[in-house]
Structures are given as structure tokens and as C-alpha cells.
Amino acid sequence: MTALPLPHSAPASVESTTIPYPDEPVALLQLDGADPVEATSAVYREVRRGRRVVAVACGDPRAGARLAAALEAIGVAAVPPPPGEAVLRPGVTIVPGPETVPGRLRSGPARVLRIALAGCGVVGGGVLPRLLADARFEVVGVLVRDPDKARAPAIPPGLAVSDPAALLAREPDVLVEAISDASTGLALIRAALSRGVDVVSANKQAVGADLPALTALAAGTSARLLYSASVGGGAPLVETVRRARAHGAVVRIEAVLNGTCNFILNRLAEGRSFDDALAAAREAGFAEADPTADLTGLDAAAKLAILSHEALGGRLPVGSVRREALARDGGLPSGRMRQLARLDVRSGEIGIALRVVDDDPLFADLADEWNALRVTTGDGRVFTARGRGAGRTPTAESVWADLVDLAGAGA
């Protein structure tokens, strides 16, 4: 990838939102502080739409602090709150509300959605308990390699299956696809869409393999394909690119898209050896037993293909993306290094490369598994997003937001 100077004029970190402009919409939310899970989900769904949020936390005086902690867990970083309120980065403010939640009429779901969950590992295991506890959804099957294996969370009796065909035979309305194997995931997505089943996927390799074809397949059967969690974990990177494209033609994307590499590079900057840094990434749950896709840039290339589709339409074959590997004996230069994904429409540059980003605060201070994105449009407007790019809680939250969007739109 040809080295090009990064723009240093862009403001630093406005995490998980666009750079503040006067015309940004504002969402005013009245939340029940006794239910931090639902409150967090409501705030996150507004954040990923690019809205500034004022959240009124009703309940006891600790409701705001509980909400702030729950948002921090998915990558909405909190700062020390001033008296009486908690400010969560530019764009999200929590203020105390009344000690009781004002009464409001609640109606049951117009239709319960039948959910088939493929995978019950890091991501699927984070989604399953919420599905089982929510009256809007009915889990009809869970695809796993070994139905008899003890796991946490436990799969209720009668739901575990090992055959993808058997999963779809249970006639779900929605397939939640969260398996690690790209080919199996892609085949399952295609089969579901062909049947007119909506799909929510967190599988970047499957989605990034040929997103235009999957989109066309979904359109042909009137199914819906949602894949926000496939890029950025809990960071709303897909939504940020969509907002940028709605504003004007996208001319450049720059992003840190792989939390494993970012974690390792931060440890190397501390002076640790490559083997120690990789072992720490595995211990923290960010590196797979075989981290080849992360270290060679293949993972980031699949995510860049998805973002490029959102920005430009059409297909960007993953194999066409030039990749620079993070190697054990790479001889990295001094400075803060990042595995930087870059697409420049004007120069034709497309690649994943290791770059020193000391002078670029959006990327330079990126912690551990965090991802970051900068999108530039033709008129010079810049959109950025940051957030936790890996882990059960943030990625499951992104899957959940897609599911709630489906439920709200009707199925």
C-alpha cells in the first residue's frame, strides 16, 4: 500500500458518532434506570444513528451511574461526571430523572419473531439469554457443533441442533448467524435468504465474501440482511459510512478494523515481545488459537470490503486488497503503530498496511481491542467513529440493535 500522509486537521475522537455539526438531530430518551440492559440498548441504537443523546435516567439516584457503566462496557466511553449528571463523550449526556418512572401504556409485540441462532460461542452466547428473556422473540433452534456439550449460557432442552438444514427446517422468521466458519456461514446465509428468511450476521468473512450478491439475493426474496456487527463489534462503523454517503460522495476511508492486531501493537509499544503480546491477546479473549487472518490483514480486508460496499456500492474482492502482515520478526519502526485499512477513491489505493500514526489522535491513542474509522466526503466533511471492536458484550449489543430494528419494522 502506498504511503500517503494522513490528514491531521480532523478533530480528535468523537467516539461512535459524526463530528458535531449544528444540524445533528438530538434524541431525548426517558429511561427506566432499574433496567440498565434495555436502557443501554435504547441509547446505543440512537448513537449508532449518529444522534446526540440526552438520556433522562429515572429511578434511584444511582440509575445514571449504572447506565454509564453499562455504556462503557460496549465502548461508549464515560468521563468523570460533574455533580448531578454524567457526560458520556460529546453527544451523549445522562441527567437524573424522577425517582419513579412515569406510567406509560405498554402493548405486547404485534408479532413474535421466530429466531434461529447459528452459533453459541462468544457472540451467540451473548445474544441467547436476551432472546430467551424478551417477549418479542421466540428461539426455535440453536446451531452448534456438539448439541450435548455443556456450555454457558445453557441452551434450553430441545433447541440445540447440529445440522444447518435442520435449523432452517424449523421455519424461523430471522436467522441470527454468529458462527466462526466463513464457508458454512455464507452457505447458511444464502439458504436463509433464498427462503425469504431475514438474516442478522456478525460473520465478516461470510458477509464480505460477496456482499453485492447477498444483497441482490435478499432483494429477490424480499428478505432483509443486516450485518452491523460484522464490522467494528460495538462501534457503529457501517452506520457511520452510511451517514457519510447520505451526505455526499465518499472519497476516502481510513480505519483500524482489527482489535487483535491493535491489542498486540499496543503491547509491542510497551516493549513486550511478539510472543508475549500474542499470548496476552489470547488470554484476553481477542486472539483465536490460529490468528493468521488477523495478523495477515485478511480479517481487516473483509471488513474493508464491507465498508467499501456501503460507501461506493459494487464489489471489492477481498483478494484484491493489498495486505501487509504483522510478523514476529517484522522489525517495526519506533512510534505508535496501527494496522491501517485505507481506501482512497481518487488515488485508487486499497490496502491494509502497518503505519506510524503518532500525529493522528483518532488512531494513536486507540486502546486495546478498540476500532476507529474516518470517512471523508468530496466536500471535505469528515465523519468518525470509535468503539470496542471485539468481545462478547459490544458485538452482541450490535447484533441486538439489528434485531430490535427488525422487530420494530415488522417481519
Side-chain angles (χ1 to χ4, degrees), residues 4 66 79 83 114 116 136 139 191 203 208 210 218 241 291 369 374 408:
L4 295 177
R66 286 198 297 268
V79 297
R114 294 168 57 84
R136 291 171 293 184
V139 180
N203 191 332
D210 193 356
V241 174
E369 79 278 19
R374 178 187 291 123

Side-chain angles (χ1 to χ4, degrees), residues 31 91 108 153 169 188 192 212 232 275 290 335 350 368 377 379:
L31 303 170
L188 189 55
D275 288 339
D290 180 4
I350 306 171
D368 292 346
T377 57
D379 63 358

Side-chain angles (χ1 to χ4, degrees), residues 150-388:
R151 63 186 75 240
I155 300 173
L159 292 184
V161 298
S162 59
D163 180 5
L167 182 72
L168 294 181
R170 298 192 175 193
E171 299 184 349
D173 299 308
V174 183
L175 168 71
V176 177
E177 190 273 316
I179 58 182
S180 58
D181 182 74
S183 59
T184 302
L186 180 57
L188 189 55
I189 292 171
R190 285 173 173 160
L193 294 176
S194 297
R195 293 171 176 234
V197 175
D198 295 329
V199 174
V200 174
S201 178
N203 191 332
K204 65 269 183 180
Q205 295 291 350
V207 173
D210 193 356
L211 184 51
L214 293 177
T215 302
L217 179 59
T221 61
S222 299
R224 289 164 292 185
L225 172 63
L226 289 80
Y227 44 85
S228 295
S230 67
V231 183
L237 305 191
V238 169
E239 291 81 4
T240 300
V241 174
R242 288 173 180 165
R243 290 198 300 273
R245 186 179 184 183
H247 171 77
V250 172
V251 297
R252 186 181 306 118
I253 292 175
E254 298 160 301
V256 171
L257 299 175
N258 186 272
T260 301
C261 275
N262 202 63
F263 186 99
I264 291 173
L265 287 167
N266 280 344
R267 296 304 177 275
L268 295 177
E270 297 169 358
R272 298 177 68 168
S273 70
F274 183 92
D275 288 339
D276 285 347
L278 178 56
R282 286 192 175 117
E283 184 177 353
F286 301 132
E288 301 286 346
D290 180 4
T292 302
D294 300 315
L295 301 181
T296 62
L298 185 61
D299 176 88
K303 295 172 181 176
L304 182 60
I306 295 170
L307 296 181
S308 299
H309 173 81
E310 294 294 340
L312 308 172
R315 184 184 183 190
L316 174 63
V318 174
S320 71
V321 180
R322 296 181 58 188
R323 294 181 284 119
E324 179 182 357
L326 173 58
R328 179 174 280 98
D329 55 351
L332 297 177
S334 60
R336 183 64 67 175
M337 296 291 299
R338 295 288 174 245
Q339 185 194 62
L340 193 66
R342 187 174 169 95
L343 169 68
D344 193 304
V345 174
R346 291 168 175 166
S347 70
E349 176 190 355
I350 306 171
I352 313 296
L354 300 173
R355 292 288 178 263
V356 176
V357 295
D358 287 333
D359 296 329
D360 192 333
L362 177 65
F363 300 123
D365 65 349
L366 206 57
D368 292 346
E369 79 278 19
W370 281 56
N371 287 183
L373 168 73
R374 178 187 291 123
V375 186
T376 306
T377 57
D379 63 358
R381 185 166 177 175
V382 178
F383 295 75
T384 69
R386 301 201 332 171
R388 296 186 187 276

